[in-house]
Amino acid sequence: MNAALQDLLKIRSRDDMPSVEITGNDPVYSTRFNVAETGAAILAATGVAISDIWEMKTGRSQKVSVDVRHAAMALNSVAHLMIRQSDGEYKVYRDSPLAQAAYDTIRAYPTKDGRWFMPHFGMKQLKEKVLGILDCEQTQESIAKAVAKWDAEEIDQRIAAANACGGIVRTEEEWRNHPHGQVLCAQAVVEIEKIGESEPEPFPEDGPALQGVRVLDLTRILAGPVAARTMAEHGADVLMVGASHVPQIKKFVLELSHGKRSCFLDLNTAEESARLKELVRGADVFSQGYRPGVLDARGFGPEELAKERPGLIYTSINCYGEGGPYSNRGGWEQIAQTVTGISHEGGNPPELLPVYFCDYSTGYLGAYGTLLALARRAVEGGSYHVKVSLCRSAMFLQDQGRVDYPREGMGISAEEARSLQMDSETTYGQVRHLGPVIRFSESKPGWGWPSPALGADKAEWL
């Protein structure tokens, strides 16, 4: 059993040894980090949590197995999303040339004081803020000239004060000595805090592991949707809650919404905010991806909702975690890699990982913590706050050591990915995507329906 899995199973709070097997090893991608093996450990831990619930329902335990190369695909599933063309052929989903050109500007640039800084342009409103501060065009050349006029700490503070997004490239040592890094060092990679008392709620004996579990998914792009998709994979009723004016990225909606339903509720209106509160009273899980404090200010913080619905599992997924001087900052995958020291190890200039490790791993870790909390609730009752973050997940990856790798011939081929793909007919057309990758000796995970059109469903439980 690898060290990452051993660490994760300590959070499980059970003394028995599960039947779990991980086959294969890194390197899979062109990186010295043990990306695929660490991802396999996280997926295996999630499988163990499902097996524990299955045993509570049926009295039978299961063997859980994960292939490292399959885990590598799961950490990059959007790269294996394909759309059927008018001629019947499937082609990998590609961003438009304009969108790809904009994405290519998300990289680290040298600052006036000899450091590196990554501005993140994310969604439209963030892009406008950052470009306004830098006073430049969204091209690599223009951004480079603008960033070179600033000291790293100066531009970092200016971007943060504007509620925009960016980060200084730090070494791992520098990050772990930083006040915020020290806060995260003292936290588990998955935190489960009991925040209220309630009666036990055993799982129903029939159906998949999460039959009857209701999940409100107030997340988007990318970690949060992974967590909720995992819940849907094992039978939960997952209702995505978004708003028509909130932007999304189509490829992530298509890839990360299998098995979910989708409704719109505008929390800026009293009526629709009250409707969400009604949904909470019938929910088991409330998963949200806002910065700490944002939903508290609207009456949807963990303690308040635990009073509304005793026994609620409240799952928080964000970039910097809870507590610490950076907790109120916004962040994305690339920023988590930048501030924690991962991109610094990529060379000069700093280089990002070839996959969205922080996003995907944090999503699976969020699901893992939620499953463990549901299992605790089934036995002892209680409301729980599950906390995961992109930066803490990055640090977990760093803890797993390094591996030598060849520069050429790495990654997953289309032919290899095909063995795990399945076809789904969606309102966006027919898509081909990865299926579940965790294998169980008895149960068979899967999604009850394909990714929905956004806002297509009523704001109600099945």
Side-chain angles (χ1 to χ4, degrees):
M1 186 180 296
N2 68 31
L5 180 56
Q6 289 178 335
D7 287 344
L8 291 172
L9 292 182
K10 293 175 183 176
I11 306 170
R12 177 172 169 252
S13 300
R14 283 181 53 163
D15 296 329
D16 61 308
M17 184 60 64
S19 177
V20 57
E21 180 183 35
I22 296 176
T23 56
N25 54 265
D26 272 309
V28 176
Y29 294 114
S30 295
T31 172
R32 60 197 303 263
F33 290 96
N34 284 295
V35 165
E37 287 185 49
T38 305
I42 293 170
L43 286 165
T46 303
V48 168
I50 287 292
S51 180
D52 288 345
I53 292 173
W54 182 262
E55 185 177 4
M56 296 171 77
K57 292 166 65 79
T58 67
R60 303 185 304 274
S61 62
Q62 297 195 71
K63 179 180 178 180
V64 177
S65 60
V66 178
D67 183 286
V68 167
R69 295 190 69 84
H70 293 177
M73 295 183 219
L75 291 172
N76 198 30
S77 67
V78 73
H80 305 293
L81 176 66
M82 306 181 77
I83 307 293
R84 189 181 183 186
Q85 307 299 304
S86 57
D87 60 4
E89 294 294 317
Y90 283 87
K91 291 187 178 180
V92 174
Y93 186 100
R94 302 292 186 192
D95 291 314
S96 69
L98 185 62
Q100 185 60 49
Y103 178 83
D104 289 342
T105 62
I106 302 175
R107 47 170 294 180
Y109 299 87
T111 59
K112 184 171 66 175
D113 55 348
R115 302 203 64 176
W116 293 84
F117 181 80
M118 175 181 282
H120 200 289
F121 305 100
M123 308 304 287
K124 181 181 178 182
Q125 70 276 20
L126 291 176
K127 178 184 74 173
E128 292 174 349
K129 287 181 180 180
V130 175
L131 292 178
I133 293 169
L134 293 175
D135 189 23
C136 69
E137 304 288 329
Q138 194 178 2
T139 66
Q140 288 188 15
E141 181 181 5
S142 182
I143 296 167
K145 289 180 180 179
V147 172
K149 299 175 183 178
W150 297 75
D151 287 339
E153 289 289 348
E154 183 184 15
I155 185 60
D156 187 55
Q157 294 298 324
R158 181 68 181 276
I159 293 286
N163 283 325
C165 192
I168 298 172
V169 175
R170 303 181 188 274
T171 66
E172 180 180 349
E173 180 181 12
E174 182 185 6
W175 173 250
R176 297 197 180 211
N177 287 326
H178 186 278
H180 196 89
Q182 290 180 339
V183 169
L184 293 183
C185 282
Q187 297 176 356
V189 67
V190 179
E191 290 200 301
I192 304 174
E193 176 189 4
K194 191 172 186 178
I195 58 174
E197 300 293 338
S198 68
E199 293 297 316
E201 298 184 39
F203 295 96
E205 294 182 2
D206 60 337
L210 300 183
Q211 179 77 38
V213 173
R214 292 171 167 176
V215 179
L216 284 170
D217 178 19
L218 278 75
T219 69
R220 60 191 175 114
I221 321 165
L222 172 62
V226 169
R229 185 190 64 180
T230 303
M231 305 294 286
E233 187 175 316
H234 299 282
D237 177 13
V238 178
L239 180 61
M240 295 190 292
V241 180
S244 58
H245 64 274
V246 175
Q248 291 273 9
I249 297 177
K250 182 179 176 181
K251 66 180 179 181
F252 293 128
V253 172
L254 274 171
E255 172 55 28
L256 303 176
S257 304
H258 313 312
K260 304 178 187 179
R261 297 180 297 121
S262 173
C263 71
F264 285 154
L265 289 175
D266 186 350
L267 300 189
N268 293 315
T269 70
E271 180 181 356
E272 296 191 16
S273 182
R275 179 60 190 143
L276 179 59
K277 197 69 70 80
E278 291 178 18
L279 288 170
V280 169
R281 297 186 188 106
D284 298 284
V285 176
F286 184 92
S287 181
Q288 61 90 13
Y290 291 83
R291 304 181 197 189
V294 171
L295 287 185
D296 300 62
R298 292 176 174 268
F300 290 92
E303 285 77 15
E304 181 167 346
L305 292 193
K307 293 177 182 177
E308 291 280 348
R309 198 302 195 193
L312 184 71
I313 312 302
Y314 190 106
T315 302
S316 294
I317 302 171
N318 51 55
C319 183
Y320 288 99
E322 308 276 330
Y326 284 5
S327 61
N328 65 340
R329 289 190 176 198
W332 293 64
E333 166 79 37
Q334 298 88 347
I335 299 303
Q337 293 186 38
T338 295
V339 301
T340 59
I342 286 178
S343 68
H344 179 268
E345 288 195 39
N348 190 7
E351 185 175 300
L352 296 169
L353 296 173
V355 295
Y356 298 113
F357 177 86
C358 299
D359 267 324
Y360 277 98
S361 65
T362 302
Y364 288 121
L365 288 167
Y368 178 54
T370 301
L371 293 167
L372 295 181
L374 286 167
R376 283 184 60 180
R377 186 187 74 171
V379 175
E380 62 182 79
S383 301
Y384 298 88
H385 189 186
V386 176
K387 291 169 274 187
V388 293
S389 69
L390 305 186
C391 286
R392 188 62 185 86
S393 297
M395 296 164 71
F396 185 68
L397 174 63
Q398 291 169 322
D399 291 339
Q400 310 314 315
R402 308 295 186 269
V403 64
D404 292 329
Y405 68 97
R407 289 281 178 178
E408 303 296 331
M410 305 303 293
I412 303 293
S413 68
E415 291 74 21
E416 185 177 1
R418 184 70 187 99
S419 66
L420 286 181
Q421 287 176 317
M422 56 183 290
D423 294 346
S424 295
E425 186 67 47
T426 77
T427 56
Y428 306 98
Q430 191 158 346
V431 300
R432 180 167 289 168
H433 56 90
L434 291 185
V437 302
I438 308 173
R439 298 292 178 253
F440 299 86
S441 57
E442 189 171 343
S443 62
K444 295 187 181 302
W447 299 288
W449 44 81
S451 296
L454 291 175
D457 299 286
K458 295 181 179 179
E460 62 186 23
W461 294 114
L462 294 177

